[in-house]
């Protein structure tokens, strides 16, 4: 059953500043994904933070959890479910837990892993791939629009400029949102001045009790995110009129604003994967008595005044509706590592680069990804289908508005 309200939430203000400014969260550095229908309890590793405790001892994408501290993943006892939730989703810093997994090669592996403060690595797997017909394709995995991603994104774009890429693939599969300003920077770095052509990136839509904000621009300069002022340093750009975006139902918020903002200036977005989560909403974080509250305050539209994608953007070879995006529907592939040219979603994008169409495929198991690294909720209810929540975070820039 869907929650009546998917987007309002609160958290300790200390946690807000720790994650928003430094990208630090608590846990192992594992980002989990539930696979299949909600009645199934199949939990696999979606991706790992670089140099995290989990990556250092050998966890890999695709590992399937079998037990935690001797408790089967399929337990339905109250004490067992409590142990699963503590060991998987909210371990206390310094505590160690034993997790048994089945790896992609079928082998069972036992890991004893200790929780700690994890610095997120929002930009990963930056590489240039040469296709069979000689096209040069840039690929990067972008996991979260947090301030520390700015440097990684700039480095990636500079690499792609040096490599002279023909096409770009941005992997937003596990990107639930973050700084809207960073989204506007990335959109500029993809499109450049010639494609932006003085059009705006994002316009808030509020009720008649609020003043009308000026449209938010594509941002062409670096930002000092401690002050939210420009440094005056120009951003590099690729001057591309087309970009491939890899998506799942966990692609939310600032990631969807990126898709919508580029579509608003007639840049061609090719969407590969699953329908995005559908969050055209924003809010300003309110700090009160050591708790930070997030309440929906506005929605946003692009330069063509479109923002009605509450049901998500849907990839399809034959778009019919405004929220349809040219592309291919393909389920996430946990049997290959991210960035591997044989991984099904990336392989589909590369096929489209070469052929201009979608390959014919048989649908795999449906995946519903979520990042649980900082969640304190009970994520495996007793005697109920597995449920999970995903915090969808957005931050616009304070001189133009702030939101998380």
């Amino acid at each position: 059953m869907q929650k009546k309200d998917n987007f309002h939430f609160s958290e300790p203000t200390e946690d807000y500043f720790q994650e928003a400014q430094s990208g630090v969260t608590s846990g192992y550095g594992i980002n989990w994904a539930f696979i299949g229908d909600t009645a199934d309890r199949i939990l696999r590793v979606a991706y790992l933070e670089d140099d995290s405790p989990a990556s250092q001892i050998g966890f890999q994408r695709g590992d399937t959890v079998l037990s935690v501290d001797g408790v089967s993943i399929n337990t339905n006892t109250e004490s067992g479910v409590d142990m699963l939730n503590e060991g998987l989703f909210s371990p206390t810093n310094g505590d160690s837990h034993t997790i048994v997994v089945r790896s992609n090669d079928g082998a069972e592996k036992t890991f004893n892993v200790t929780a700690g403060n994890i610095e997120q690595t929002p930009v990963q797997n930056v590489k240039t791939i040469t296709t069979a017909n000689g096209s040069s394709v840039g690929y990067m995995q972008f996991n979260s629009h947090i301030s520390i991603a700015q440097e990684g994104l700039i480095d990636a774009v500079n690499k792609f400029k040096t490599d002279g890429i023909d096409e770009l693939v941005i992997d937003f599969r596990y990107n639930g949102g973050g700084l809207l300003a960073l989204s506007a920077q990335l959109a500029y770095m993809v499109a450049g001045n010639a494609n932006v052509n003085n059009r705006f990136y994002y316009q808030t839509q509020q009720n008649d009790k609020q003043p009308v904000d000026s449209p938010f621009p594509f941002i062409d300069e670096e930002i000092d995110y401690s002050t939210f002022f420009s440094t005056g340093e120009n951003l590099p750009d690729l001057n591309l009129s087309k970009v491939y975006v890899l998506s799942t139902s966990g692609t939310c918020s600032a990631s969807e604003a990126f898709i919508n903002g580029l579509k608003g200036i007639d840049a061609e977005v090719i969407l590969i994967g699953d329908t995005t989560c559908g969050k055209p909403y924003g809010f300003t974080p309110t700090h009160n008595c050591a708790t930070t509250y997030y309440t929906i305050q506005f929605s946003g539209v692009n330069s063509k005044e479109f923002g009605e994608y509450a049901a998500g953007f849907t990839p399809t070879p034959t778009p019919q509706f405004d929220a349809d995006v040219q592309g291919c529907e393909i389920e996430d592939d946990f049997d290959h590592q991210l960035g591997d040219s044989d991984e099904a979603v990336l392989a589909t994008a590369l096929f489209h680069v070469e052929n201009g169409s979608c390959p014919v495929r048989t649908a795999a198991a449906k995946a519903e990804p979520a990042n649980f690294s900082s969640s304190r909720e009970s994520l495996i209810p007793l005697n109920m289908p597995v449920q999970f929540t995903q915090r969808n975070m957005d931050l616009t820039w304070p001189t133009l508005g702030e939101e998380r």
Side-chain angles (χ1 to χ4, degrees):
M1 183 174 63
Q2 290 290 331
K3 289 187 175 183
K4 183 177 181 180
D5 181 351
N6 291 319
F7 301 123
H8 290 66
F9 66 96
S10 64
E11 67 174 338
T13 299
E14 181 181 1
D15 292 350
Y16 161 75
F17 282 111
Q18 186 178 41
E19 183 170 6
Q21 295 298 328
S22 65
V24 174
T25 59
S26 298
Y28 311 124
I30 301 175
N31 296 270
W32 301 104
F34 281 111
I35 310 299
D37 297 329
T38 56
D40 297 328
R41 194 176 288 176
I42 302 172
L43 186 67
R44 302 180 76 174
V45 174
Y47 73 94
L48 302 161
E49 305 294 350
D50 293 343
D51 301 319
S52 63
S55 66
Q56 290 174 351
I57 64 174
F59 277 95
Q60 288 190 316
R61 170 177 168 82
D63 286 345
T64 302
V65 175
L66 301 178
S67 67
V68 179
D69 295 332
V71 177
S72 169
I73 190 66
N74 293 312
T75 186
N76 276 313
T77 68
E78 183 175 0
S79 61
V81 168
D82 288 344
M83 290 181 68
L84 290 179
N85 282 320
E86 165 65 20
L88 291 169
F89 308 124
S90 56
T92 302
N93 280 7
D95 285 357
S96 297
H97 295 272
T98 299
I99 301 177
V100 180
V101 302
R102 183 175 59 250
S103 62
N104 283 342
D105 63 6
E108 288 192 13
K109 297 180 180 179
T110 300
F111 296 109
N112 186 265
V113 60
T114 302
N117 286 329
I118 308 300
E119 182 172 339
Q120 297 177 64
T121 44
V123 182
Q124 296 181 326
N125 290 320
V126 178
K127 61 180 65 178
T128 298
I129 301 167
T130 302
T131 66
N133 67 4
S135 295
S136 182
V137 181
Y139 168 87
M140 66 174 172
Q141 176 191 341
F142 184 27
N143 305 318
S144 181
H145 289 76
I146 55 177
S147 61
I148 62 171
Q150 178 177 229
E151 182 178 357
L153 292 174
I154 292 171
D155 289 345
V157 169
N158 280 325
K159 171 181 168 54
F160 296 146
K161 283 175 68 72
T162 299
D163 293 349
I165 64 168
D166 304 304
E167 306 283 357
L168 175 63
V169 177
I170 302 178
D171 197 334
F172 274 146
R173 272 178 277 186
Y174 311 113
N175 193 319
L179 288 156
L180 189 57
L182 196 65
S183 175
Q185 287 178 298
L186 178 58
Y188 172 81
M189 286 191 279
V190 170
N193 274 325
N195 291 301
V196 170
N197 195 24
N198 296 318
R199 288 170 288 184
F200 69 80
Y201 181 66
Y202 188 93
Q203 170 69 68
T204 58
Q205 302 284 296
Q206 303 179 88
N207 64 30
D208 57 12
K209 296 180 181 180
Q210 302 297 324
V212 177
D213 291 325
S214 298
F216 299 161
F218 289 79
I219 299 178
D220 61 0
E221 294 182 347
E222 293 183 35
I223 294 174
D224 178 348
Y225 278 106
S226 66
T227 64
F228 269 84
F229 284 102
S230 169
T231 67
E233 295 292 327
N234 292 328
L235 292 172
D237 71 85
L238 297 170
N239 194 32
L240 294 174
S241 59
K242 179 172 69 174
V243 62
Y244 285 81
V245 171
L246 310 187
S247 63
T248 65
S249 60
T251 302
C252 292
S253 204
S255 300
E256 292 174 299
F258 172 88
I259 296 169
N260 200 45
L262 287 179
K263 285 173 64 66
I265 62 169
D266 296 312
E268 186 178 6
V269 178
I270 307 297
L271 192 62
I272 308 292
D274 201 356
T275 299
T276 64
C277 83
K279 183 177 179 285
Y281 314 115
F283 35 64
T284 300
T286 302
H287 311 303
N288 184 49
C289 297
T291 298
T292 297
Y293 298 91
Y294 306 85
T295 57
I296 295 297
Q297 293 165 317
F298 59 85
S299 62
V301 298
N302 63 17
S303 191
K304 292 186 172 183
E305 300 186 353
F306 176 73
E308 295 296 328
Y309 51 88
F313 286 112
T314 299
T316 172
T318 55
Q320 299 180 47
F321 305 104
D322 289 337
D324 288 347
V325 182
Q326 184 72 41
C328 316
E329 186 173 13
I330 180 74
E331 302 298 348
D332 209 350
D333 174 10
F334 289 88
D335 295 331
H336 292 85
Q337 300 306 300
L338 296 172
D340 183 342
S341 297
D342 291 330
E343 186 275 316
V345 184
L346 177 55
T348 300
L350 296 176
F351 182 94
H352 199 284
V353 166
E354 291 191 300
N355 299 278
S357 61
C358 302
V360 177
R361 293 185 182 274
T362 301
K366 187 173 180 62
E368 297 194 33
N371 183 341
F372 297 121
S373 59
S374 60
S375 176
R376 298 296 174 187
E377 298 184 35
S378 177
L379 298 169
I380 301 181
L382 180 64
N383 295 323
M384 292 176 63
V386 171
Q387 298 178 353
F388 62 89
T389 61
Q390 177 167 338
R391 295 185 311 158
N392 300 306
M393 301 172 292
D394 252 345
L395 284 168
T396 52
W397 44 105
T399 52
L400 306 171
E402 183 185 19
E403 170 219 357
R404 184 177 179 187

